[in-house]
Every structure is written in structure tokens, then in C-alpha cells.
Amino acid sequence: MLFNTNIRLTLPVVCFVWQIAMIILFGVFIRYDEESDTHWVETKAHDNITSDIENDFYFRYPSFQDVHVMIFVGFGFLMTFLKRYSFGAVGFNFLIASFGLQWALLMQGWFHSLDPQTGKIFIGVESLINADFCVAGCLIAYGAVLGKVSPVQLLVMTLFGVTLFAVEEYIILNLLHARDAGGSMVIHTFGGYYGLAISRVLYRPNLHQSKRMQGSVYHSDTFAMIGTLFLWMFWPSFNSAITDHGDGQHRAVINTYLCLASTVLTTVAISSLSQKTGKLDMVHIQNSTLAGGVALGTAAEFMISPYGALIVGFFCGIISTMGYIFISPFLEKTLKIQDTCGIHNLHAMPGVIGGIVGAITAAAASESVYGKQGLINTFDFTGDFKDRTVLTQGGYQAAGMCVSIVFGVVGGAIVGSILKLPIWGDPADENCFDDEVYWEVREPEHQESIPPILEYNNHMIHKQQDL
């Protein structure tokens, strides 16, 4: 029997109890901010605002819309490459995001915007973007355990992931005062190592029993490519969504746009060179083409220059693709990390590269390039940080990257130990990567046999090649 009977009651109970808890907590803590409250009319008069166009909604909503599509469509469809796990990829992505964004609004609110006088959290459109960012870290981690865990395990993983994210985000952005507009460190590095650490703790020595399910087929790779294209097109919005209005946001879009384009070219080149036939591997095209967007997240709003963005993309395409060819097999064989989607190559490594690029670019910033006020605006050298130098800022940027790695690895190991408890209804080794375990799958009357896997289209099994 594929279906674990423990999940039959556990999943509905968890969903109902959680949503009731959210209703109560939102009732106690969450309120509209001044720009979404009906008192906006009075605020306009008090602040001499003449038009509703000055409301932050009109600045941020287009970016929010793009980020929201990335979270629910981009991430979801990117993970549909498995031949028999498309429901789980898109459906559980939907569940995790909806579950996590509510908790993220509370956690981030408690750390960043809790009003000490009223004890309330005031939310607006920027709060929604930040909640989506928080959830992105958990969706990245999901990629490492895709097809190997139960929906209840995913909810537990998201609960702790959002909590850890809010804490490390507060440390990096508020205490260290590092800049990370696109989340190379806070989102991608944390989410990548969080997922990898969980996958290591949940290592399945007999996962080969479901080997027949681990590969892709033609149509599943096509669906996954839909996710790739949505993510690729909207990544400039992701990296610029919460930057300062004006030149910073404008620059972040340009830099990300160029970096992504450069990444595609080098990914295609390395993918072709890696095959004796010169053909392209769809795994690389689906994933490594996005690595530039990850790596430029920290430095997107800096004066990295257009050619600098192209350089970052150039090297990211090479490193990420080589990661799928060489590092993923090493992680699985030697370190016992079964990374279903290859998040180490798409998020963890490029996230670290982004942290390094951000630290170097910050330390090299000069008044001749940025201008005096430009330095202050870009790095927010105001208040308690008004006397900080660019070299010091570069050091804190590097420290922020280290914090994200530590939170990801240590937090993932602890959460993985919790998920390892035999109470969550996870699938047996022979039933991994199969939608039938948790979904009602309607098959034709005469079901076709499952085709053999193509190892070059498998994220987890590497075919040795002579390069």
C-alpha cells in the first residue's frame, strides 16, 4: 500500500490547526500600515502629499507581482522535471508558500517592524515582498529533498526555516548592516545550505530502489523549462524589488538583466563541451542559466558596472554547470548528500559567489565613482553607521555571508534530526519520487509502462564521461 495511513489525519489536522493559529495571531498583531489604511487621506493632508501615486503601492506592486509569479509558478514548475512527481512539485510548492508567507509576515514583523508603543505589526506591499523572499528560502531547501519527504515534513521544515530565516536576516541586515537587496546571502546561501544539511541528515542508503522514478522524460523537462523561463524573465524584479526608489532600483535591473544573459551563453558552451556528442543537457539549461541572477543579488544595486555584471554571469554559468557535472556526484557519493534538484549548484554556490562579489565591490567603492551622497545612499551610511568606511562595510558583507552559511548548516542539521523521527509519514525508499503516495492520480485504463530513465537527464545520477 503506497499511502501511509498516518498522513490521512495528520495533514488535515496540521493545516486546520495552523490556519486557526494564524487567524488568532493576525487578529492580535497584524494591522494595515498608514499607506493601506483608510486614514491615508489624513496622512496625505498631514504630509502635503498631493497625489495617490505617491503611495508605495504604485512603486512596489509591479515588482511584487513579478516576485509572486516567481514563487508560485517559477519555483513550482522548475521542479516538475521528475517523470512522476509533477503534482508534488507544483502542489507542495503551493502549500509551502501559502503556509510560509503567513508565518513570515509575523516573524519578520516581530523582528523588523513591531511598534513598541502599540505592540502591533503594520504591513504594506513591501511586507508582502519580504514575506515572499522569506518563503523563497524554504522553497530552495525543498529542492534538495524533492520527492523524498511527506507534506507534513515539508510544513515542519518551512515552520523552522521561516523562523531561522527571520533571525539570520535580522542579524545580517540590521545588526551587521550588510546590504543584500537580492538575497544572495540571506535567501540563496541560507536556503541552499539549509536544504543540503537536511538532505544529509535524511540520507537514504536504499534510495536506488526508486531509481526508475528519478529521471525525467521529454514532457516533464519541457514543463520544467517553463519554470526556468518565468524565473529568468522576472529575476531583475526579484533583485530590485526592495531597493531604494530611483537609481538603485534602476541599476539593479540593468545589472541583473546583463548578468543573466551572460550566464546563458557560458552555460550552453560548457554543457555542450561536457558531452562527447556536443549535445546540450537540459538539466544545465533549466538550472545553471539562472545562477547569474542568484550571484548578483547582493551587488545588484552597487556600481559594479555593466561589464562587471557580464563577468559575474560569465563565471557563474561555468561554475554552476561544472557543479552539475562534477560536484553533485561527489556530494552524493562521498558526502552522502542526495540533492534532488541540484540546489548546491543553482543556489548555494552562486549565493556564496554573490556574497564574495558583494564584499569585494563594497570594499572597493569610492567617492569618485559613487559620489559622497551616492555612497551614503547606496550603503545607508546614516545614523549609527554614519562613520563606517567602505573597507569596514566590505568586512561586514563577508561576515554576513558566514552567518547565512552557519544558520543554514547548523539549522538544517537540527531540523533534519527532527524530521528524521518516524512520525511524519514519509514515503518508503521504493516509493520516493512518485505522486501516487500522496496524490490521487488518474491514469488511463491501459497504463503505459514507465520508460527507462535517461541518465543525462537525471539530476542525481551522473554518467561518467570522457571530457
Side-chain angles (χ1 to χ4, degrees):
M1 181 173 166
L2 287 176
F3 192 83
N4 191 318
T5 53
N6 292 334
I7 210 71
R8 192 171 292 161
L9 290 177
T10 307
L11 181 60
V13 168
V14 169
C15 290
F16 274 121
V17 170
W18 180 258
Q19 197 54 59
I20 292 170
M22 288 298 98
I23 291 170
I24 294 171
L25 289 172
F26 269 60
V28 173
F29 289 103
I30 301 292
R31 299 292 184 271
Y32 300 120
D33 69 6
E34 64 178 9
E35 295 189 69
S36 54
D37 190 87
T38 53
H39 293 87
W40 166 244
V41 177
E42 300 165 15
T43 302
K44 282 199 303 180
H46 180 269
D47 296 340
N48 294 319
I49 298 173
T50 58
S51 171
D52 282 330
I53 201 68
E54 296 298 317
N55 191 298
D56 200 41
F57 173 85
Y58 296 99
F59 289 102
R60 300 292 186 192
Y61 186 74
S63 295
F64 164 71
Q65 208 171 18
D66 294 349
V67 171
H68 216 47
V69 169
M70 291 177 71
I71 296 300
F72 286 92
V73 179
F75 278 102
F77 275 88
L78 182 64
M79 293 187 282
T80 60
F81 65 93
L82 290 169
K83 66 178 72 173
R84 294 278 295 179
Y85 207 72
S86 296
F87 288 6
V90 177
F92 291 150
N93 184 91
F94 196 8
L95 175 65
I96 291 171
S98 300
F99 175 94
L101 66 83
Q102 298 176 68
W103 184 231
L105 286 169
L106 286 162
M107 285 300 304
Q108 291 178 312
W110 285 326
F111 276 98
H112 294 284
S113 57
L114 185 67
D115 189 317
Q117 296 181 333
T118 63
K120 306 300 181 185
I121 299 167
F122 295 93
I123 65 170
V125 68
E126 189 170 343
S127 308
L128 307 186
I129 296 172
N130 282 315
D132 276 1
F133 280 177
C134 185
V135 165
C138 296
L139 296 179
I140 291 166
Y142 176 35
V145 296
L146 180 72
K148 300 177 292 183
V149 293
S150 71
V152 177
Q153 283 177 304
L154 289 174
L155 295 180
V156 173
M157 186 178 84
T158 304
L159 172 65
F160 286 107
V162 168
T163 305
L164 288 166
F165 181 97
V167 177
E168 61 108 17
E169 179 188 47
Y170 179 76
I171 293 172
I172 293 171
L173 302 186
N174 291 65
L175 300 185
L176 298 180
H177 197 64
R179 305 293 286 176
D180 193 26
S184 292
M185 301 182 292
V186 174
I187 300 170
H188 299 284
T189 302
F190 165 75
Y193 286 106
Y194 179 62
L196 291 170
I198 291 174
S199 182
R200 175 61 185 88
V201 175
L202 299 181
Y203 174 71
R204 291 172 176 260
N206 297 315
L207 193 62
H208 62 273
Q209 294 178 9
S210 58
K211 180 179 178 179
R212 70 195 188 283
M213 297 291 192
Q214 290 179 28
S216 62
V217 290
Y218 191 82
H219 68 267
S220 67
D221 269 333
T222 303
F223 273 106
M225 196 64 197
I226 294 172
T228 298
L229 292 174
F230 269 102
L231 290 169
W232 196 92
M233 289 188 300
F234 290 141
W235 216 296
S237 294
F238 191 94
N239 283 353
S240 65
I242 58 171
T243 52
D244 293 334
H245 299 319
D247 66 286
Q249 198 163 40
H250 197 165
R251 193 163 51 249
V253 169
I254 294 171
N255 288 337
T256 307
Y257 176 91
L258 294 173
C259 188
L260 284 165
S262 179
T263 305
V264 173
L265 273 293
T266 50
T267 296
V268 169
I270 298 300
S271 181
S272 178
L273 287 172
S274 70
Q275 303 288 334
K276 288 186 291 186
T277 60
K279 295 181 179 180
L280 300 175
D281 188 333
M282 200 57 164
V283 172
H284 306 153
I285 307 306
Q286 287 165 359
N287 295 277
S288 296
T289 53
L290 302 171
V294 174
L296 206 68
T298 298
E301 62 180 328
F302 300 168
M303 292 285 287
I304 193 171
S305 79
Y307 78 89
L310 290 175
I311 292 172
V312 173
F314 179 90
F315 285 106
C316 273
I318 296 172
I319 294 170
S320 179
T321 309
M322 297 294 278
Y324 279 100
I325 298 168
F326 297 110
I327 299 178
S328 288
F330 170 80
L331 291 178
E332 183 170 358
K333 183 178 180 180
T334 307
L335 301 183
K336 310 300 182 186
I337 298 175
Q338 296 161 324
D339 181 7
T340 308
C341 290
I343 66 167
H344 180 261
N345 312 308
L346 173 54
H347 297 283
M349 275 200 309
V352 171
I353 292 171
I356 295 171
V357 170
I360 294 172
T361 309
S366 65
E367 193 170 313
S368 62
V369 174
Y370 285 77
K372 183 176 181 179
Q373 192 59 44
L375 278 176
I376 295 172
N377 292 342
T378 302
F379 297 103
D380 198 20
F381 288 157
T382 57
D384 294 337
F385 307 99
K386 61 180 172 42
D387 296 322
R388 179 175 284 188
T389 65
V390 291
L391 284 175
T392 304
Q393 182 65 32
Y396 278 106
Q397 293 287 147
M401 181 185 66
C402 295
V403 169
S404 64
I405 294 173
V406 170
F407 265 79
V409 173
V410 177
I414 295 171
V415 174
S417 299
I418 296 171
L419 298 179
K420 200 174 179 68
L421 296 173
I423 59 174
W424 307 113
D426 52 318
D429 290 332
E430 64 271 18
N431 294 328
C432 289
F433 316 112
D434 190 349
D435 273 332
E436 278 197 82
V437 180
Y438 302 114
W439 296 86
E440 188 69 37
V441 180
R442 295 172 180 85
E443 297 286 3
E445 185 176 347
H446 300 291
Q447 180 178 346
E448 296 181 0
S449 60
I450 298 172
I453 64 171
L454 299 175
E455 294 206 8
Y456 65 82
N457 267 351
N458 187 344
H459 288 54
M460 297 177 63
I461 299 175
H462 176 66
K463 184 169 68 175
Q464 297 298 325
Q465 307 170 62
D466 297 323
L467 297 181

